[in-house]
Amino acid sequence: MWPYPRILSHRGGGTLAPENTVAGLRRAMDHGFRAVEFDVMLARDGVPVVMHDPYLGRTVSGAGHVFDYDAAELAGMDAGSSFGADYRGEPVPLFVEFAQYCKAHGIWMNIEIKPARGFDVETGETVARLARAMFADELAAGALARAPLLSSFSLAALTAAQRVAPDLPRACLMSELPPGWEPLARSVGAIAIHTNHKHLTPELAQAVRDAGFGLFCYTVNEPQRAMQLLAWGVEAFCTDRIDLIGPDFGS
Ligand code: G3P
Ligand code: MG
């Protein structure tokens, strides 16, 4: 049900590097990771960039929204100083360049489509189309496990992704599984459920697996909790603490 790596580094390099940056990918690789989760949204010109917040100020120096700037302007901004002076000038990555870096380094990707409010369809379509083009050969060869997994809290974004790239696998992000989670996940052709481990129970974990979905949790930072979740049948998770929970954790 889950053909992908089991432990993913969250937002690139977890909390050991500026989030959603190439420096984070390098840090993850230093810790042996070859699988990451990261967040993607659209800049003003419709070009996707790797960022979590829809506004500047927390991780990226500046003010305003991501959609107030073209991607080239964002790519010139500093996504590193907020983490530490050593990372000053670390740029906001363009999605395509970031994904190509991952592909070139054998890093498997869980791409979280993170639309700014009102941009769900456009973001889902753009990210799915670009990711599909990048992995067309793998998909044609049936090497699904090497292609990225798209995930989103936005059903509209997932529906848009399904429309333009039906053969690129999708996962439903749900903080807490609502009543009717199963038909919701089926409505976007999801292969997996990605959920906040804090709301998971062993019964829910079993139900997800019985329904035939892969089960992934975010964001698991304590080794003991990670062991418990794996014992419940959670198949994979992402972590910020790539120093405490390595890529081979629990195996
Ligand atoms: O994709 C799992 C996780 O990243 C979702 O939450 O806010 O860290 O993007 P967030
Ligand atoms: Mg995320």
Side-chain angles (χ1 to χ4, degrees), residues 10-11 37 39 52 110 112 114 151 153 173 218-219 238:
H10 183 228
R11 300 186 193 177
E37 184 270 358
D39 309 288
H52 180 275
N110 170 203
E112 185 186 341
K114 199 85 151 174
S151 60
F153 288 104
L173 264 163
Y218 66 90
T219 300
C238 60

Side-chain angles (χ1 to χ4, degrees), residues 28 57 87 96 175 183 223 229:
Y87 291 95
V96 167
S175 169
L229 291 166

